[in-house]
């Protein structure tokens, strides 16, 4: 099949390129705009309590909302606020109100904190109506400009924090991060391909081809999101860029290494490209299928952010695969050997002394290589037990120098840590109105909960059937302590103290994080096993074996544990952070399991190819490492490097993701695929391919059966 595909593409290159251009133009012209959201409540199903509380709140108080932003004032010298300072704050508030800044619907000064270190003006903004609505962002920008003018040259300093300000800073940080990631990814691919092939043409090949199809990918994702009403998280764009260029470059590398190998074997350029597509087509298609399956398994998630992320990344990989098997061969078939210009190194077989020596050593002592590489994975994997999820995405997604982060720290000098995003406890009477005695008793019960700092007087709905108690926690809303407070004592007290005939629900951002954690635990139990089973089926079909998929997946899961352990070691133990972002295990699972399987498939396919040439298992392992080691090393280096570029984005969320994924890919390429997998395959020998005969020459099994039959029938014939 792949040989026929190669012949079709190589003999009709202009038609293939023209078809790609037509498809790209058609999709881009008709696709809707891809919109993303940062509202975490968009991603949870309606049966969770935090979403039910939000629904109760919106129905009972349609015109009311917690302050979208907070203007925090403090003295520049850090001293207590005087009466004149308080008067100055009131004056600034009055001037900002008089300025009639668009979409600023209210400014309410709050008395100074008890220690008089800070004073706050609560800001009400026009509600956001859709994911692409920039109303609040624009209002915060205008308010910041006006505020800067009002406090300039005085003894007070002021800045804006709160949810709307954090979202604005997060968006701006994400845009800067995207630019850095994009530039770093392209530069890295160019430099590494120049070093590997010594040709600017090949170095530009993935940049040009993948850049050309990137708009197609964006259009297809936007169409899918609109068709299935998927909520796309704002972080998808950064991951998508890296996946498309990283995976696409990997597939091009696999193809070009084999193309060069066939040229060195004496084939003409067109025949060499047909042979390259025929020989690597099955391997990279199977590898891509494993990646796509792993990504699509996320559609089983209860979280909307992952249900959208899975199809988006699957589309990117599918397009990268199709481009690698059709568009790239078409372009290269037109260029011929000029694709290697000006280098002549492609004409001579390199000695490959390092990989030849490593292969020979592995062939002689596969058990030692299996123990050492496996031991490294286990040692790092043990550290994964210490993983602690954190939900601090707002500050983690921006730099420490951003205004919302700086003035959130100022706010904490005078108010409880939970003041920026209080929790909401909703109490609703099933019939009639709530009485004042019920409200007072209920508020007293909430105040008594450990971890609760303040409980405001209840806000009553117009029909007095619903009350909203705003609860300020003593810990930051995203902290482990706040999450535990809401999960157990606050929710337990809210439900237990609810009078007969009423319904209580705890909402707010911390409650959303609690439900996120429960949803993630559900997803771990569903998504991980389903993806693993489906990937094993792909491996079994590719290798015609029931044994190899088991140890290949075992090695990949060891790699996953080792990667998580490395992230825990660096961020929690060495840098002293309280935890890692809560989505990290799922994201790591996707990339380490899926892409780690990529490299395993490439290596095992070569081991099988060598075995079919008549080599014994140890010789096959030695030659497989010698010939495929450079390809895996180059692909792993480029892909790990592209994900490592996320660490340059300037925020903790992308830094953790970039580090973990790049380390995971490094482990997958340089430990699992290069040493652990070939060592185990060499040790198992022919048993690795049971019950099939994938390591034998085509037709060898039929010849043996015919020979055995002739042995049995020969005496009868005589």
């Amino acid at each position: 099949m792949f040989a026929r595909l190669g012949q079709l593409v190589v003999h009709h290159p202009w038609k293939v390129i023209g078809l790609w251009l037509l498809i790209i133009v058609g999709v881009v012209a008709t696709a809707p705009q891809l919109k993303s959201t940062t509202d975490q409540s968009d991603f949870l199903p309606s049966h969770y309590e935090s979403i039910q509380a939000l629904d109760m709140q919106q129905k009972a108080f349609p015109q009311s909302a917690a302050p979208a932003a907070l203007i925090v004032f403090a003295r520049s010298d850090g001293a207590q606020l005087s009466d004149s300072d308080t008067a100055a704050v009131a004056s600034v508030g009055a001037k900002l109100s008089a300025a009639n800044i668009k979409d600023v619907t209210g400014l309410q000064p709050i008395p100074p904190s008890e220690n008089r270190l800070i004073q706050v003006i609560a800001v009400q903004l026009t509600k956001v109506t859709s994911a692409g609505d920039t109303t609040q962002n624009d209002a915060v920008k205008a308010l910041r400009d006006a505020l800067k003018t009002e406090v300039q040259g005085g003894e007070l300093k002021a800045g804006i924090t709160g949810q709307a300000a954090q979202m604005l800073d997060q968006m701006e940080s994400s845009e800067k991060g995207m630019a850095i990631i994009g530039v770093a990814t392209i530069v890295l691919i160019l430099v590494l391909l120049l070093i590997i092939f010594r040709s600017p043409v090949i170095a530009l090949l993935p940049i040009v081809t993948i850049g050309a199809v990137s708009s197609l990918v964006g259009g297809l994702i936007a169409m899918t999101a609109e068709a299935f009403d998927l909520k796309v998280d704002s972080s998808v764009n950064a991951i998508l860029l890296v996946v498309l260029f990283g995976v696409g470059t990997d597939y091009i590398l696999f193809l070009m290494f084999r193309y060069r190998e066939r040229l060195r074997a004496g084939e003409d350029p067109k025949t060499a490209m047909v042979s390259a597509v025929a020989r690597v087509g099955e391997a990279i298609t199977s590898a891509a299928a494993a990646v796509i399956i792993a990504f699509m398994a996320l559609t089983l998630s209860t979280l909307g952010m992952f249900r959208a992320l899975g199809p988006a990344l699957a589309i990117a990989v599918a397009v990268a695969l199709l481009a690698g098997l059709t568009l790239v061969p078409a372009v290269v078939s037109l260029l011929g050997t000029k694709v290697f210009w000006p280098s002549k190194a492609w004409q001579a077989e390199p000695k490959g002394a390092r990989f030849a020596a490593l292969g020979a050593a592995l062939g002689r002592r596969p058990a030692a290589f299996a123990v050492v590489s496996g031991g490294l994975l286990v040692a790092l994997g043990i550290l994964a037990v210490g993983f602690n999820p954190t939900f601090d995405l707002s500050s983690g997604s921006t730099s420490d120098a951003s205004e919302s982060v700086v003035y959130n720290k100022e706010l904490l000098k005078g108010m409880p840590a939970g003041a920026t995003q209080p929790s909401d406890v909703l109490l609703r009477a099933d019939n009639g109105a709530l009485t004042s005695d019920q409200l007072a008793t209920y508020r007293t019960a909430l105040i008594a909960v450990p971890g609760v700092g303040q409980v405001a007087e209840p806000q009553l709905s117009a029909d007095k059937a619903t009350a909203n108690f705003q609860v300020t926690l003593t810990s930051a809303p995203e902290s482990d302590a706040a999450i535990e407070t809401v999960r157990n004592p606050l929710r337990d007290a809210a439900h237990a103290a609810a009078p007969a005939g009423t319904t209580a629900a705890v909402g707010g951002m911390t409650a959303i994080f609690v439900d996120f954690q429960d949803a993630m635990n559900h997803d771990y139990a569903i998504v991980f096993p389903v993806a693993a089973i489906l990937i094993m089926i792909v491996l079994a079909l590719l290798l015609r074996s029931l044994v190899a998929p088991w140890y290949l997946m075992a090695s990949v899961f060891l790699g996953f544990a080792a990667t998580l352990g490395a992230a825990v070691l660096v961020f929690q133990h060495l840098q002293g952070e309280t935890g890692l972002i809560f989505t990290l295990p799922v994201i790591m699972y996707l990339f380490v399991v899926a892409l780690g399987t990529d490299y395993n498939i490439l290596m095992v396919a070569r081991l099988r190819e060598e075995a079919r040439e008549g080599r014994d298992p140890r010789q096959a392992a030695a030659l497989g490492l010698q010939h495929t080691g450079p390809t895996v090393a180059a692909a792993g280096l480029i892909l790990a490097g592209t994900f490592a570029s996320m660490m340059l984005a300037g925020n903790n969320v992308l830094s953790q993701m970039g580090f973990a994924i790049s380390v995971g890919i490094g482990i997958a390429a340089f430990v699992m695929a290069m040493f652990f997998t070939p060592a185990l395959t060499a040790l198992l020998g022919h048993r690795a391919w049971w019950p099939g005969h994938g390591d034998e020459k085509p037709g060898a099994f039929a010849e043996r059966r015919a020979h055995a039959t002739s042995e049995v029938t020969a005496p009868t014939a005589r």
Side-chain angles (χ1 to χ4, degrees):
M1 181 180 78
F2 291 101
R4 289 196 296 272
L5 176 63
Q7 290 172 350
L8 179 66
V9 170
V10 167
H11 291 106
H12 303 281
W14 286 114
K15 291 181 180 178
V16 172
I17 295 170
L19 181 61
W20 271 97
L21 289 175
L22 285 174
I23 293 172
I24 291 170
V25 171
V27 170
V28 171
T30 57
Q33 183 181 358
L34 179 62
K35 296 179 180 180
S36 61
T37 179
T38 54
D39 185 355
Q40 302 302 321
S41 65
D42 284 346
F43 303 126
L44 277 170
S46 59
H47 67 268
Y48 282 99
E49 184 174 338
S50 59
I51 306 303
Q52 292 173 352
L54 181 63
D55 183 59
M56 288 172 60
Q57 187 179 36
Q58 290 175 342
K59 288 179 179 177
F61 310 99
Q63 303 302 320
S64 179
L70 300 171
I71 305 176
V72 181
F73 292 84
R75 285 188 59 87
S76 300
D77 58 8
Q80 291 182 328
L81 295 169
S82 64
D83 290 341
S84 61
D85 293 329
T86 302
V89 170
S91 174
V92 170
K95 290 178 181 178
L96 292 176
S97 294
N100 292 321
I101 297 171
K102 185 180 179 182
D103 295 311
V104 176
T105 58
L107 291 163
Q108 178 63 47
I110 297 172
S113 60
E114 289 185 14
N115 59 13
R116 298 190 68 85
L117 290 179
I118 60 105
Q119 187 172 359
V120 172
I121 294 179
V123 182
Q124 296 286 353
L125 300 174
T126 302
K127 287 185 178 181
V128 172
T129 57
S130 66
D133 191 344
T134 62
T135 297
Q136 291 192 352
N137 289 346
D138 296 338
V140 171
K141 286 180 186 177
L143 195 59
R144 279 177 171 172
D145 291 339
L147 177 64
K148 190 180 297 182
T149 302
E150 294 297 332
V151 299
Q152 194 170 15
E155 295 182 341
L156 293 175
K157 61 181 181 180
I160 302 178
T161 187
Q163 189 169 5
Q166 288 171 346
M167 291 300 179
L168 171 63
D169 290 342
Q170 184 178 338
M171 183 197 72
E172 291 179 345
S173 176
S174 176
E175 289 175 353
K176 291 177 183 176
M178 278 289 294
I180 293 171
I181 290 169
V183 171
T185 297
I186 291 172
V187 169
L188 183 71
I189 290 173
L190 284 171
V191 170
L192 289 178
L193 289 181
L194 277 171
I195 293 172
I196 293 167
F197 289 100
R198 303 172 192 173
S199 166
V201 181
I202 290 185
L204 288 170
L205 184 63
I207 304 301
V208 173
T209 54
I210 297 170
V213 302
S214 60
S215 55
L216 169 64
V217 170
L220 291 174
I221 292 171
M223 288 177 171
T224 304
E226 184 176 68
F228 295 97
D229 192 28
L230 299 175
K231 303 290 185 180
V232 181
D233 181 59
S234 58
S235 64
V236 167
N237 289 331
I239 302 173
L240 189 65
L241 176 73
V242 176
V243 167
L244 189 57
F245 276 94
V247 173
T249 302
D250 265 11
Y251 294 158
I252 293 172
L253 265 180
F254 297 161
L255 183 72
M256 293 307 296
F257 267 103
R258 189 54 71 98
Y259 176 58
R260 187 175 65 179
E261 184 179 318
R262 299 316 304 163
L263 287 172
R264 287 169 177 166
E267 294 181 354
D268 66 84
K270 289 189 179 295
T271 304
M273 180 50 70
V274 173
S275 296
V277 173
R279 288 171 181 261
V280 302
E282 184 181 28
I284 66 173
T285 300
S286 299
V291 176
I292 291 169
I293 285 170
F295 288 160
M296 288 303 293
L298 283 181
T299 57
L300 300 174
S301 171
T302 55
L303 296 174
M305 63 188 300
F306 290 132
R307 286 201 305 275
L309 178 64
L313 297 180
I315 288 169
V317 173
V319 172
L321 172 68
L322 291 174
L325 290 177
T326 58
L327 181 59
V328 173
V331 172
V332 174
S333 67
L334 292 173
L335 295 171
T337 56
K338 292 176 184 177
V339 75
F340 298 106
W341 180 89
S343 174
K344 303 292 184 182
W346 63 272
Q347 297 174 343
E349 184 73 34
K351 294 180 180 178
R354 291 187 182 89
F355 285 98
L358 284 171
L362 187 145
R364 288 193 303 270
R365 303 185 65 186
F369 275 82
V371 169
V372 172
S373 55
L376 175 63
L377 297 176
V378 171
L380 285 173
I382 291 172
L383 294 170
V385 177
F387 167 70
N388 181 53
T390 178
F391 292 81
D392 187 6
L393 299 183
S394 55
S395 63
S397 299
T398 58
S399 71
D400 291 339
S402 63
E403 186 172 318
S404 61
V405 174
V406 170
Y407 279 89
N408 186 59
K409 292 177 181 177
E410 289 289 334
L411 180 69
L412 297 183
K413 292 178 181 179
M415 298 184 71
T420 53
Q421 293 180 7
S423 294
D424 295 298
V425 178
L426 280 298
L427 184 66
R428 183 184 63 203
D430 298 333
N431 294 295
L434 294 165
T435 67
S436 56
D437 288 342
Q438 287 177 324
L439 295 174
T441 302
Y442 194 69
R443 179 169 179 261
T444 301
L446 296 180
I447 292 173
V449 174
V452 169
Q454 299 172 359
V455 179
E457 290 292 337
Q459 178 187 10
L460 279 173
S461 60
D463 60 1
K464 296 186 179 182
T466 304
N468 183 10
F469 295 83
Q470 199 169 80
V471 177
T472 302
L473 305 177
T474 56
S475 304
E478 70 282 347
S479 66
D480 292 343
I483 289 171
E484 286 307 310
T485 296
V486 170
R487 180 191 301 280
N488 294 314
L490 182 58
R491 278 187 169 170
D492 289 347
H495 297 153
T502 64
T503 301
V506 179
M509 189 56 66
T510 305
I512 288 173
F513 291 151
V514 171
D515 292 338
F516 252 108
Q517 208 167 53
D518 292 341
M520 290 290 292
N521 291 335
H522 169 272
D523 289 354
Y524 292 154
I526 300 295
V527 176
F528 284 20
V530 168
I533 291 169
L534 292 175
I535 291 173
M536 286 182 70
I537 292 173
V538 171
L539 290 172
L541 293 173
L542 169 68
L543 302 174
R544 283 80 169 175
S545 166
L546 295 179
V547 175
W550 284 99
Y551 71 82
L552 291 178
M553 287 305 296
S555 72
V556 169
F557 275 105
L558 276 177
F560 167 79
T563 303
L564 185 57
V568 168
L569 174 65
V570 170
F571 290 100
Q572 291 184 208
H573 295 309
L574 298 182
Q575 294 191 9
E577 296 182 11
T578 57
L580 302 170
I581 56 170
F582 72 99
T583 56
L584 194 60
V586 172
I587 292 171
M588 274 176 39
Y589 170 82
L590 289 175
F591 292 106
V592 177
V593 172
L595 299 177
T597 305
D598 255 19
Y599 299 135
N600 268 344
I601 287 174
L602 190 68
M603 179 60 75
V604 172
R606 187 60 188 238
L607 295 177
R608 182 181 62 180
E609 188 176 324
E610 295 295 340
R612 285 176 169 177
E613 295 295 327
R615 279 96 184 189
D616 65 49
R618 296 192 177 207
Q619 288 177 326
L623 290 172
L625 178 53
Q626 178 182 339
H627 292 299
T628 307
T631 308
V632 170
L637 189 61
I638 287 175
L639 194 59
T642 54
F643 277 104
S645 68
M646 295 172 71
M647 298 173 67
L648 303 174
N651 70 68
N652 202 37
V653 169
L654 290 179
S655 291
Q656 289 185 14
M657 286 172 56
F659 173 84
I661 297 170
S662 60
V663 167
I665 290 168
I667 288 173
F670 294 97
V671 180
M672 289 191 310
M674 202 171 291
F675 298 118
F676 193 60
T677 295
L680 285 179
T681 305
L683 289 171
L684 287 170
H686 183 66
R687 289 168 293 184
W689 310 99
W690 184 89
H693 302 272
D695 58 334
E696 296 181 352
K697 290 182 180 180
F701 180 63
E703 288 179 10
R704 283 208 315 275
R705 285 191 63 182
H707 180 70
T709 303
S710 65
E711 288 285 323
V712 172
T713 58
T716 305
R718 287 195 294 268

